[in-house]
Amino acid sequence: MIAMLLATSAVASGVSLLVGRFLCRRRVGWLLGLVPAGLFLGFLALHGTIEAGQTITERLAWAPSLGVDFSLRLDGFAYLFCLLVTGVGALVVVYADAYLVERSPEDRARFLTLILFFMTAMLGTVLADNLIVLFLFWEATSVFSFLLIGFDVDSPSARRSALMALHVTAGGGLALLAAILLIGVVLGGYSLTEVVVRAPELARSPWSVAILAGVFIGAFTKSAQFPFHFWLPNAMQAPTPASAYLHSATMVKLGIYLLARFEPVVGAVPGARDALIAVAMITMLVAAFQTIRAENYKTVLAYSTVASLGILVMLVGLNGPMASVATVGFLLAHALYKATLFFCAGTVIHATGLTKLRQMGGLWRFLPVTALASALASLSMAGLPPFFGFISKEFLFEAQIQSSWDAVPMAVAVLVNAVMVGVAGVVTLRPFFMGAHRVQDVRHKEVVGLLLGPMILALLGLVISLEPTWVNRVVLLPAVMAVYGQRVDVKVALWHGVTPMLLLSAAVVGIGALLFVFWVPLHYRLRTFTRVDRYDAEHAYDALLRRVRAVARGIAERLQQQDLRSQLGVIFFAVVAFLIWALITLGRGPRFPASVGAVRVGPALLALVGLAGGIAATWARSLLAAMIATGLAGLVAALTFLVNGAPDLALTQFAVESLVVVLLTVALLALPLDAPTTRSPRARRGDAALAAGLSVILFIALLDMAAAPQQNTVSAFFGARSYLDAFGRNVVNVILVDFRGFDTLGETTVIALSAVIAWSLLGPRVSIEDGSGGARRSVFVLEFASPVFFWLLAVLSVVVLLRGHNQIGGGFVGGLMGALAFAIVALTHGVDRARKRLRFHPLTLAGVGLLLAVASGLPGLVAHGDYLRHVWIEANVFGVHVKQGTALLFDVGVYLAVLGTVLAFLFGLTREAEA
Amino acid sequence: MITDSSGIIDVLAEGLAIWPVVIPLAAAALTLLLRRWPTLQRSVMEVAVAMMLVAAAVLLARTRNGEAIVMKFGGWGKPFGVTFVADMLSAMLCTAAGTVALAVAIFARADVRARRRRAGFDALFLGMLAAVNGAFLTGDLFNLYVWFELMLATALGLVTLDRRRAQIDGALRYAAMSMMGATFMLVGIGLLYGETGTLDLVHLSTTLARGEPSVTSSVAAYLLLAGLLLKAGLFPLFFWLPASYHTAPISVAAALAGLLTKVAFYACLRVFVLVFGVGAHMPVVSGMPPLFALLAAATMLVSVFAAIAQVDVRRLLAFHVVGQVAYLVMGLALASWQGSAAAIFYTVHTMLVQTGLFLGAGAIGRAGGGFDLRVLGGLIREHPRFSVLFAALALSISGVPPLSGFWAKALVIDAAFRSGTPGAAWLVVAALATGFLTLYSMSTLWTQAFWRPRARAPHAARAIPVAMVTGVALMAACTLGLGLAIEPAVRLSRAAATQLGAGVTLPNGTTSAGASGTVP
Amino acid sequence: MTVLYAFVAAGLFGCGLYMVLSRHAVRMMLGLSLLTTAVNLVLFQAGRIRTAQPPLIPEGAERLGESADPLPQALVLTAIVIGFALTVILAALVLRAWRSQRTLRSDELRSAQDLGSPLTPGPDLDH
């Protein structure tokens, strides 16, 4: 049933936008008002169960493995909220329709939709039993409040206030989330019922303080308690219907709701009650002070709301059954009269276009009914009999007397309630009945839509107290029972005889009357204390944001303004730090090779030459020299490979190095070759130290590795299988095309795709097919030699490719050699000649190559179910025994890809250099 | 050749694990040949992406029972040949990557015109997708490195697609730093091979577990850490990311933001949880969890502050990419299965949302004629529907329920609370603070770009092409769907995490040789 | 010998790092290719340096006898080629940078960090 109601609410909210935009563009409020009204009746229909003191629970599975199920629970306290939310909701929708009469139908539809969505979120929050679900709706109310406060998106102050409200409430939400997750850790579940039942367990847990802190912050931000109260007065930027609904009657009460739910835990944790009461008292005093200082009609109401919320928090903090009674009673009373007052304020502001109280007066002549409603509400707020406000105030004082608390909260309560009395007088008498000369005319007369809400609520405040039995039975008693945990018999009556409470009420009214009389001078007097504004929370908030932005800017500068060098420096520094940390945490020294081993003089010298090349490269002033030195190191590496049993590597490294030299030369031709040092000596020393640090660690690691016993099961396997199963004698090549062919495929892709990059980066960009080679530079000696070289290399490359599987060679080396062949042509006769010689577009070669390589894996997949498993065919062609397989196809693909790419770069760079 | 359809089905099924890689590879090659015909290129790319996604989804469906699907390339089984091991984690991330790719491909219809396609967008994009999936699927350390290099190369090409100055600059930094990262990785791999004589991830983990902890393996581990964290974009190694992402064409930026750093993080999971056993308290990596925690916290705060300072939507989002990765590393820092599970879910979430946000930025740029928040405004009036979509994504990254972002944050924080690690409480504080600042940054963006009226004289509202909105909508729908279908998602993440921690058990034993059957 | 090679590899690595830290883009590029060389040496040593015998299965034999470890060689081959590709891409980028901005000092190549930077006043509309 309740799940149904909630779902209906959600769906209806969704539909309402369409209704408002397309179906019924005028008077839509009366139609949409039926949604909350219907829900109200729906909840009313449940009163039997609630009266009987039972709770309705419904459970839908959602995320059991997280302990999160969509469980709803309707007890007396939630019931009170549901009735408030839906009942006031209906009136707000009707009121808003009349209030937003000048707005476009779209805007009105948008507003009403937001209101209805908000209502849904409220219902969800109070109905949820699972804390995660509760949090879901809780956050939703924050978001909708954000959207409603900022409804007038064109007004900067509205946007600012919306952001403020969102940051405060959602920030508190994060604290609440942490608390909820901790509850999950402690209790192993998120059920609110569990929390109440197992409160002592929670209180005993080491997390108890953290949990309560989170809950408190969540509640205080939502219910505008000091120091988070400042967002609420600013929230008055929202259209008045929203203020009446969210920021007085319902949403701001959620904090109270939460605290009341956690009351058992609060009671069980020492000091928690004190904390609540302390915060509440500060809030009440600050709010009372600001109420008197406030000028705007709505601001006065807002601060008085903050004060009332303070009272409610204090009541939760107090112990004893009467505290619960008072909480419930005051909650209801406040919702009724404060919403009414907001409605009236809205009507006044709407009709006069004025916002400041002092500008208003004598409005009863134009808005008689509104004046009446306001008067009734004020009397209730002032706590005068026979209004419900009076009864709730009696409860309040009774609670205080009962509870084991000294006089301070009592005094504060008396004072603040007196201020309430004053406010009640001010907000009704001044605009409506005094200073008739101030306002001569209003924009429009009252309309039904603007009257329905205030009148109904105001009259309820009277009716309830005159005929309390029904409300008491259906709403108050069950609610109190739900909060307090057991049945409390509440005597709702106007006259209990002369009790201390009555005397206190009398005192309050007396002081309040005085306050009202001296309101104006007091108001101006307090306004002169401008210094306090500098210390209030709102300024702290602004200062905080300024600080955040300043810090942010500073960080952004430090991050963005560095050049590449310093960023790399930071990275290297971090890496060194990592490695040192590694060695520290490892807690053991390196191993060293047992013996240095026989030093072969030739290779040793060779290696040292290579190192010298590297060092020279760092010293070289001219880029060309640096490049040659680098190349030298590369060539030495190649020779080192050669003398250590890696001819394949040697060959490839040779080819690569020479190609790199060729390509870089071409590129460097376009650059200034003389590059003076770019680093100050100090910077150079620092860099040197950094580099040295890293290389020392690497050296140690290499020694340690060399000392480790070699484990070569894998390569032994390759050695054993290479010929028998992969039919290749060159193990390295077999590894490349077969054992680890997939690496090679990936690498071929790298190669092939860098051809694309070359083509998109280099050369004038008329179109990708453009092949404008520049004027050819002729190098005479080479010119004669070049055809020879070309064919020599071309043929050689193919040979290398074909024999690769059994002797030294393979696709890469082949491709690189082929590229070298064309490189020579390009260098001697210019790019055009080379391209003519090539006939194909380099990218085509690369593409075909890649396609071949990829495709060569498929036969294996089809035949054996293993991709890249090569399929071999043996045949006798003209008596020659040929054994070839898809491995060759693969190698050819690699060959083409490499060829195409290198040429793409060659041509591109040359064109670029010559462009 | 097999002709009858059932046989083909068998082949498709047999090679299931390779299709997410081989399909884009083949398509990339094809687009190279079709470079004269941009529209054809586009169709090839789109078809390939769709097929890739389907393949990944099938893979996910097949691996859900916890059994890894293995492809032995060349038929040489573990640990000798390169293998693909598609377990739940890999399959999940491949599917997410496929979804991201689909959204980008749709968006690109409106964003990537013929000129960019002629410049090779499709080929490079497909190549990058192949690399991403390859990295997700491979069971071999060196193979992983190869895919990373392919990712880097293609990313460089994609970033510089327009040859704008800024793009070249960004690409230079990107290239320099990432190549350093690759260098560190490669040295680490070399040392690791020297110590263990193998490259197969599972074999590595068993060998390392058997062997003594040594300087070699620990230096190797931390070099790999440096390389991977650099590519994951973690403070203080992350400079390449904010230096380049904002310069790229927006479709490219979206793809990079959604894919690359997450792949690097995935690699961290594989290498440090599976191979080095971070969860299992191996002495070699005993120092890693605190390091992870420290870096994660620092990254969160630094990046979110940096984001707040930004006025260019793309830059702002780029810093949020960094910040979100920090949450993943936080999960890893907890060294518990809950931590890994949370991180896994978070990875999927952030892949989708980051892409969505960047695509949204593209739409904002199209509608508002720029990316500068000082100029933008009024979008909510001009494009209400798009505004709602963007709001969903912004709320998701801010961690508002029921969107996936909320669950992601909640799971990580919950895992932190449950892990007894000492610093966990501080990590949570950092995470919450960052969450708040993220909300601050996003809500400011919202009020500036959407609510506030335009600073400039309002030109005629520019339309946002349907393709763009569709791309954003897809991602928004994903984050909402993921948030509502949290149960299966979490189950999957947890199963994947446990599978990861336990090491992958292959259906037919870890050492199954190829052509000739048995192993000596 | 091992120690020597380790020393040389580490030394080249250091030189590479030092050059990478230069502000001049070309030096940085050369530094990276130097690093590639150094890393290849490291990979090569991972297979230990024992013999000059290449991993070729002689005619008639069926299995590989005593020889250098073939696997690292394959890895190095792959690494060489990838390194080559990236170096050349980098070269292309450097050339581009020079063409468009006439400088190769990394502290003067600022257009990326200025694009939409909050620190440079004034709205920019590039799109």
Side-chain angles (χ1 to χ4, degrees):
Chain A
M1 179 61 184
I2 46 180
M4 273 251 314
L5 289 170
L6 191 57
T8 325
S9 168
V11 174
S13 320
V15 176
S16 60
L17 184 64
L18 309 174
V19 174
R21 292 188 74 130
F22 308 112
L23 222 65
C24 132
R25 295 166 64 86
R26 296 188 61 261
R27 295 249 168 278
V28 61
W30 294 94
L31 184 62
L32 293 183
L34 295 177
V35 176
L39 291 167
F40 181 77
L41 296 177
F43 279 108
L44 220 47
L46 299 171
H47 71 87
T49 334
I50 300 301
E51 256 181 86
Q54 299 154 343
T55 63
I56 307 170
T57 58
E58 290 171 19
R59 176 173 309 257
L60 291 72
W62 186 11
S65 53
L66 290 177
V68 178
D69 47 12
F70 205 95
S71 57
L72 304 177
R73 174 162 156 285
L74 180 64
D75 65 359
F77 197 41
Y79 190 67
L80 169 65
F81 270 91
C82 290
L83 292 182
L84 269 178
V85 168
T86 49
V88 179
L91 301 173
V92 164
V93 170
V94 172
Y95 182 88
D97 182 58
Y99 186 83
L100 298 175
V101 64
E102 310 100 337
R103 300 300 192 91
S104 72
E106 284 69 23
D107 277 5
R108 213 177 310 136
R110 202 153 56 83
F111 184 83
L112 294 179
T113 314
L114 285 174
I115 288 284
L116 290 180
F117 268 120
F118 166 79
M119 178 187 72
T120 314
M122 276 300 297
L123 289 176
T125 318
V126 293
L127 286 175
D129 181 53
N130 187 297
L131 284 167
I132 296 283
V133 178
L134 181 144
F135 181 75
L136 191 165
F137 288 113
W138 177 281
E139 291 290 83
T141 57
S142 296
V143 172
F144 288 119
S145 145
F146 168 73
L147 295 172
L148 282 165
I149 298 171
F151 185 74
D152 297 321
V153 292
D154 296 341
S155 135
S157 53
R159 295 197 299 267
R160 173 174 179 276
S161 312
L163 278 176
M164 187 187 291
L166 181 70
H167 296 155
V168 175
T169 50
L174 281 172
L176 177 59
L177 174 62
I180 291 175
L181 292 175
L182 280 173
I183 291 172
V185 174
V186 175
L187 298 186
Y190 298 106
S191 159
L192 197 49
T193 331
E194 283 288 297
V195 171
V196 175
V197 175
R198 296 163 63 184
E201 202 174 327
L202 268 181
R204 273 195 315 281
S205 82
W207 293 110
S208 60
V209 175
I211 291 174
L212 269 192
V215 173
F216 281 6
I217 294 176
F220 291 166
T221 47
K222 203 72 160 177
S223 286
Q225 294 301 291
F226 182 87
F228 308 111
H229 61 285
F230 57 90
W231 70 265
L232 186 52
N234 284 290
M236 294 303 131
Q237 294 289 339
T240 311
S243 314
Y245 194 31
L246 279 68
H247 307 127
S248 77
T250 57
M251 183 179 92
V252 289
K253 301 266 175 33
L254 277 182
I256 313 300
Y257 172 83
L258 193 70
L259 290 174
R261 288 297 189 193
F262 275 82
E263 211 275 347
V265 189
V266 175
V269 175
R273 287 189 186 280
D274 315 23
L276 277 187
I277 291 176
V279 171
M281 288 196 298
I282 299 173
T283 312
M284 285 152 71
L285 292 173
V286 171
F289 177 72
Q290 294 288 9
T291 316
I292 302 175
R293 298 180 76 222
E295 292 183 308
N296 289 346
Y297 201 156
K298 286 178 75 175
T299 319
V300 172
L301 293 177
Y303 274 117
S304 69
T305 308
V306 174
S308 315
L309 293 168
I311 294 176
L312 282 165
V313 172
M314 184 179 72
L315 285 173
V316 177
L318 295 176
N319 52 2
M322 268 327 278
S324 310
V325 176
T327 312
V328 172
F330 188 60
L331 207 143
L332 178 58
H334 176 264
L336 295 177
Y337 65 68
K338 193 52 69 65
T340 313
L341 291 175
F342 266 108
F343 281 140
C344 299
T347 314
V348 168
I349 291 166
H350 199 265
T352 60
L354 304 172
T355 56
K356 290 189 166 19
L357 272 172
R358 88 164 82 84
Q359 307 163 320
M360 305 171 180
L363 289 168
W364 65 272
R365 289 169 296 164
F366 313 106
L367 311 167
V369 187
T370 314
L372 174 60
S374 175
L376 294 176
S378 292
L379 290 171
S380 183
M381 180 179 181
L384 294 175
F387 291 91
F388 188 54
F390 170 73
I391 296 174
S392 68
K393 194 181 295 176
E394 299 268 289
F395 288 155
L396 162 64
F397 290 127
E398 191 172 355
Q400 290 205 311
I401 293 165
Q402 251 193 24
S403 71
S404 57
W405 284 83
D406 57 4
V408 182
M410 180 77 77
V412 175
V414 170
L415 178 63
V416 171
N417 275 292
V419 175
M420 294 295 130
V421 175
V423 173
V426 169
V427 295
T428 299
L429 296 179
R430 296 191 65 198
F432 289 103
F433 300 103
M434 296 161 67
H437 60 280
R438 294 208 191 90
V439 180
Q440 297 317 331
D441 192 16
V442 294
R443 292 213 206 112
H444 61 76
K445 294 258 160 247
E446 296 168 309
V447 298
V448 189
L450 291 177
L451 294 180
L452 196 66
M455 273 322 280
I456 291 183
L457 291 180
L459 288 175
L460 270 179
L462 190 55
V463 171
I464 290 179
S465 55
L466 294 179
E467 181 39 49
T469 47
W470 187 85
V471 173
N472 191 15
R473 203 180 67 243
V474 174
V475 181
L476 296 183
L477 280 175
V480 171
M481 190 178 142
V483 175
Y484 188 62
Q486 68 210 43
R487 198 163 190 84
V488 183
D489 60 338
V490 187
K491 302 178 298 301
V492 184
L494 285 172
W495 182 254
H496 308 95
V498 180
T499 58
M501 291 78 83
L502 186 65
L503 300 178
L504 283 170
S505 296
V508 165
V509 174
I511 306 171
L514 281 175
L515 269 175
F516 172 68
V517 174
F518 297 106
W519 186 272
V520 178
L522 195 57
H523 169 75
Y524 286 113
R525 185 79 191 78
L526 292 189
R527 283 197 75 74
T528 54
F529 297 160
T530 45
R531 200 188 287 102
V532 295
D533 294 331
R534 258 183 279 127
Y535 302 112
D536 75 349
E538 181 170 350
H539 277 69
Y541 166 83
D542 289 334
L544 177 69
L545 290 194
R546 270 197 304 279
R547 190 91 199 80
V548 165
R549 277 191 233 96
V551 172
R553 199 179 163 79
I555 289 180
E557 268 177 36
R558 297 199 59 71
L559 289 185
Q560 286 167 216
Q561 295 311 88
Q562 295 170 320
D563 62 2
L564 177 55
R565 170 180 173 273
S566 27
Q567 295 183 336
L568 280 168
V570 174
I571 292 177
F572 291 172
F573 189 82
V575 174
V576 173
F578 288 177
L579 292 173
I580 291 171
W581 175 244
L583 297 176
I584 292 172
T585 50
L586 180 68
R588 65 170 62 195
R591 302 160 289 190
F592 289 107
S595 70
V596 178
V599 176
R600 290 170 290 154
V601 180
L605 289 178
L606 193 64
L608 289 175
V609 170
L611 185 54
I615 295 168
T618 62
W619 284 101
R621 177 186 172 83
S622 151
L623 296 181
L624 210 52
M627 188 191 77
I628 290 165
T630 320
L632 176 66
L635 292 178
V636 168
L639 290 171
T640 312
F641 293 144
L642 188 62
V643 297
N644 288 294
D648 279 287
L649 293 194
L651 201 54
T652 318
Q653 180 90 24
F654 271 127
V656 165
E657 281 305 329
S658 35
L659 267 169
V660 167
V661 169
V662 170
L663 292 175
L664 290 193
T665 324
V666 176
L668 287 181
L669 287 178
L671 306 176
L673 286 183
D674 182 65
T677 172
T678 57
R679 288 177 281 186
S680 70
R682 202 162 156 286
R684 294 171 76 92
R685 277 197 297 280
D687 297 355
L690 212 48
L694 258 171
S695 53
V696 165
I697 297 177
L698 178 61
F699 181 55
I700 295 172
L702 283 173
L703 291 183
D704 180 79
M705 179 185 77
Q710 185 181 13
Q711 309 199 2
N712 59 353
T713 46
V714 177
S715 32
F717 172 85
F718 293 153
R721 299 288 161 180
S722 170
Y723 182 68
L724 294 179
D725 303 329
F727 318 114
R729 296 190 172 278
N730 177 353
V731 181
V732 175
N733 179 276
V734 173
I735 294 176
L736 282 177
V737 300
D738 200 333
F739 290 113
R740 299 187 63 87
F742 202 61
D743 283 346
T744 315
L745 183 61
E747 154 197 16
T748 313
T749 322
V750 177
I751 290 290
L753 290 183
S754 36
V756 183
I757 301 172
W759 218 254
S760 87
L761 274 183
L762 296 172
R765 209 179 206 183
V766 185
S767 91
I768 194 151
E769 289 311 309
D770 125 281
S772 64
R776 71 184 236 281
R777 250 181 290 84
S778 65
V779 187
F780 289 110
V781 191
L782 282 174
E783 209 161 310
F784 303 114
S786 84
V788 188
F789 277 128
F790 173 78
W791 290 112
L792 203 70
L793 280 165
V795 172
L796 190 62
S797 74
V798 176
V799 174
V800 166
L801 160 68
L802 292 179
R803 68 201 278 274
H805 211 54
N806 291 319
Q807 286 93 24
I808 295 121
F812 287 122
V813 194
L816 293 171
M817 284 183 161
L820 266 178
F822 285 94
I824 284 171
V825 178
L827 287 183
T828 50
H829 299 84
V831 175
D832 283 350
R833 174 77 70 87
R835 291 195 62 180
K836 279 196 198 64
R837 187 76 46 96
L838 181 62
R839 280 197 194 76
F840 298 100
H841 190 287
L843 291 191
T844 316
L845 287 183
V848 173
L850 184 54
L851 209 50
L852 270 182
V854 174
S856 71
L858 294 174
L861 182 66
V862 176
H864 311 286
D866 296 323
Y867 186 73
L868 272 179
R869 177 162 173 179
H870 293 304
V871 182
W872 297 87
I873 309 137
E874 299 193 49
N876 274 321
V877 184
F878 314 120
V880 187
H881 175 259
V882 182
K883 174 163 185 171
Q884 276 307 350
T886 47
L888 180 65
L889 207 62
F890 187 72
D891 240 353
V892 173
V894 176
Y895 177 94
L896 290 177
V898 173
L899 182 62
T901 303
V902 176
L903 291 182
F905 273 104
L906 181 68
F907 297 160
L909 283 169
T910 330
R911 286 182 319 172
E912 190 66 43
E914 290 166 351
Chain B
M1 275 317 285
I2 294 176
T3 46
D4 62 296
S5 63
S6 68
I8 288 174
I9 298 299
D10 294 344
V11 173
L12 286 177
E14 288 237 49
L16 199 53
I18 64 167
W19 296 125
V21 176
V22 168
I23 292 170
L25 277 188
L30 213 55
T31 47
L32 271 186
L33 303 179
L34 294 173
R35 64 189 175 285
R36 276 201 193 75
W37 303 281
T39 37
L40 263 176
Q41 273 181 310
R42 192 185 78 187
S43 332
V44 171
M45 185 270 278
E46 286 170 351
V47 171
V49 167
M51 287 166 68
M52 194 184 83
L53 177 55
V54 172
V58 175
L59 204 56
L60 184 57
R62 290 287 189 84
T63 49
R64 281 195 70 162
N65 58 6
E67 188 187 72
I69 294 182
V70 179
M71 162 56 64
K72 308 192 295 297
F73 292 102
W76 317 96
K78 287 170 158 297
F80 304 111
V82 179
T83 52
F84 266 9
V85 182
D87 60 358
M88 265 180 269
L89 177 55
S90 314
M92 275 173 84
L93 295 182
C94 283
T95 320
T99 322
V100 165
L102 185 65
V104 172
I106 295 172
F107 186 92
R109 275 172 164 260
D111 181 48
V112 178
R113 299 288 165 71
R115 211 181 87 267
R116 283 173 171 173
R117 295 194 184 271
R118 278 204 209 84
F121 169 80
D122 299 290
L124 293 167
F125 182 56
L126 288 165
M128 190 175 82
L129 293 177
V132 167
N133 286 332
F136 282 148
L137 288 166
T138 188
D140 180 284
L141 192 54
F142 189 79
N143 194 241
L144 186 70
Y145 159 80
V146 173
W147 294 123
F148 267 109
E149 293 290 37
L150 179 55
M151 249 179 276
L152 170 58
T154 46
L156 288 176
L158 285 167
V159 168
T160 55
L161 219 48
D162 307 335
R163 299 217 305 200
R164 289 229 182 87
R165 287 181 172 199
Q167 296 181 337
I168 302 295
D169 280 8
L172 258 176
R173 294 191 176 214
Y174 189 164
M177 298 191 215
S178 306
M179 282 169 78
M180 283 315 306
T183 312
F184 292 135
M185 268 179 81
L186 197 50
V187 175
I189 293 172
L191 291 174
L192 216 48
Y193 175 82
E195 176 80 16
T196 62
T198 181
L199 294 164
D200 179 88
L201 290 175
V202 177
H203 194 211
L204 268 172
S205 68
T206 47
T207 323
L208 280 173
R210 258 191 271 105
E212 281 283 293
S214 72
V215 170
T216 312
S217 45
S218 114
V219 169
Y222 279 81
L223 281 173
L224 280 167
L225 179 87
L228 289 177
L229 289 191
L230 189 148
K231 285 172 180 296
L234 222 68
F235 177 84
L237 313 169
F238 68 138
F239 298 103
W240 59 271
L241 193 155
S244 56
Y245 275 19
H246 65 291
T247 64
I250 205 74
S251 309
V252 172
L256 299 184
L259 297 175
L260 293 201
T261 52
K262 318 315 180 267
V263 178
F265 174 73
Y266 160 84
C268 286
L269 274 180
R270 276 277 181 235
V271 171
F272 298 118
V273 177
L274 170 62
V275 173
F276 289 100
V278 161
H281 310 300
M282 304 295 284
V284 172
V285 291
S286 58
M288 269 191 193
L291 186 59
F292 282 136
L294 185 68
L295 295 178
T299 311
M300 284 179 191
L301 293 168
V302 168
S303 60
V304 79
F305 271 112
I308 286 172
Q310 299 307 319
V311 294
D312 180 304
V313 182
R314 298 164 299 178
R315 291 192 98 132
L316 188 151
L317 292 176
F319 276 111
H320 279 303
V321 172
V322 176
Q324 294 298 304
V325 173
Y327 281 92
L328 312 183
V329 177
M330 175 176 166
L332 185 53
L334 301 173
S336 67
W337 71 267
Q338 291 105 329
S340 310
I344 290 169
F345 177 82
Y346 209 128
T347 311
V348 175
H349 146 74
T350 193
M351 284 171 85
L352 301 167
V353 169
Q354 297 291 1
T355 310
L357 283 170
F358 261 98
L359 295 182
I364 291 177
R366 178 67 69 91
F371 296 97
D372 192 318
L373 287 171
R374 293 169 296 197
V375 181
L376 284 166
L379 290 175
I380 188 127
R381 293 222 181 284
E382 297 163 13
H383 306 285
R385 282 181 204 74
F386 165 71
S387 306
V388 173
L389 295 175
F390 192 86
L393 292 160
L395 288 173
S396 181
I397 195 182
S398 315
V400 172
L403 300 156
S404 57
F406 162 73
W407 296 108
K409 276 197 178 53
L411 284 169
V412 174
I413 294 174
D414 186 51
F417 281 139
R418 291 178 192 278
S419 84
T421 48
W426 291 110
L427 263 180
V428 171
V429 172
L432 288 175
T434 311
F436 176 71
L437 291 170
T438 312
L439 176 76
Y440 172 76
S441 151
M442 280 296 152
S443 53
T444 317
L445 187 158
W446 171 261
T447 43
Q448 287 177 338
F450 288 83
W451 272 4
R452 182 183 59 190
R454 282 186 191 288
R456 293 273 177 86
H459 57 69
R462 306 186 202 181
I464 304 178
V466 182
M468 287 190 168
V469 180
T470 319
V472 181
L474 179 57
M475 290 293 104
C478 283
T479 184
L480 181 60
L482 198 60
L484 294 180
I486 183 67
E487 174 67 10
V490 162
R491 283 213 180 144
L492 211 54
S493 315
R494 290 185 168 172
T498 33
Q499 195 179 22
L500 175 74
V504 195
T505 48
L506 307 179
N508 52 354
T510 46
T511 56
S512 54
S516 72
T518 58
V519 191
Chain C
M1 217 52 207
T2 338
V3 181
L4 180 72
Y5 279 131
F7 180 74
V8 171
L12 283 177
F13 197 79
C15 297
L17 290 175
Y18 180 79
M19 283 183 83
V20 167
L21 282 173
S22 163
R23 277 203 186 82
H24 195 287
V26 175
R27 283 224 177 78
M28 182 202 72
M29 179 179 74
L30 293 173
L32 280 168
S33 67
L34 206 54
L35 278 173
T36 319
T37 314
V39 173
N40 292 339
L41 285 171
V42 171
L43 280 176
F44 189 63
Q45 290 174 54
R48 306 295 192 280
I49 294 173
R50 293 190 314 275
T51 157
Q53 178 61 41
L56 293 172
I57 300 173
E59 290 297 330
E62 286 193 335
R63 295 163 168 271
L64 185 61
E66 169 67 10
S67 82
D69 187 344
L71 181 48
Q73 298 194 15
L75 302 188
V76 175
L77 264 177
T78 313
I80 288 177
V81 178
I82 292 180
F84 166 71
L86 286 174
T87 312
V88 186
I89 293 177
L90 201 58
L93 284 173
V94 170
L95 195 51
R96 255 298 116 229
W98 170 255
R99 281 254 180 262
S100 59
Q101 306 178 53
R102 288 288 149 191
T103 175
L104 289 173
R105 288 180 57 105
S106 58
D107 51 354
E108 290 166 359
L109 293 167
R110 305 176 43 91
S111 44
Q113 78 194 48
D114 291 343
L115 169 61
S117 161
L119 310 170
T120 55
D124 80 315
L125 289 175
D126 72 315
H127 195 267

